[in-house]
Amino acid sequence: MYPYQYDPRFQNLFPPGGGGQGFPPPPPGGGGQGFPPQGGAQPPSSPPPAFTPTPKLGSGGPSLYAVDPGAISGCLYRYTYIWPRNGRPYWFYPTFVGRRSVAGYRWTGSFWVYAGVDVNQIREFQCV
């Protein structure tokens, strides 16, 4: 099993007390290792697939529309490739979908870390 840990760099994605946005609170322990997040959701026991999916938007340019949380909820507990509006794409394993946010585990290249993202920051996603 691959280790996972809370990464404080993603802490600003979680407003205090959930902020009414549907975020689960950050894991307890002040950044310690070995926590089970609320609901007991665990990271995958293996790395994500070795391939990189191809985006379907074609041009790779920005989308005018936000990602629908209902659409990404079909990716719960599945390996999901995220193309953010800004930044590098990454593998994600969603365990929670709120009205405006998604939380789960992000692959660092070596292990899974608990993280969250606002759905407005996702340009495209694909689950496998």
Side-chain angles (χ1 to χ4, degrees), residues 63-77:
S63 169
L64 298 176
Y65 304 102
V67 167
D68 175 27
I72 202 166
S73 67
C75 294
L76 278 171
Y77 303 103

Side-chain angles (χ1 to χ4, degrees), residues 16-91:
Q21 296 179 13
F23 272 116
Q33 296 183 13
F35 68 90
Q38 279 206 280
Q42 297 292 318
S45 57
S46 61
F51 67 92
T52 301
T54 305
K56 294 187 179 353
L57 287 179
S59 69
S63 169
L64 298 176
Y65 304 102
V67 167
D68 175 27
I72 202 166
S73 67
C75 294
L76 278 171
Y77 303 103
R78 295 172 63 188
Y79 294 112
T80 304
Y81 203 75
I82 303 284
W83 287 273
R85 293 189 182 279
N86 296 309
R88 297 174 59 162
Y90 55 90
W91 281 105

Side-chain angles (χ1 to χ4, degrees), residues 3 6 34 54 59 72 84 102 104 106-107 124:
Y6 175 68
T54 305
S59 69
I72 202 166
V102 182
R106 181 175 175 162
W107 182 248
E124 188 174 348

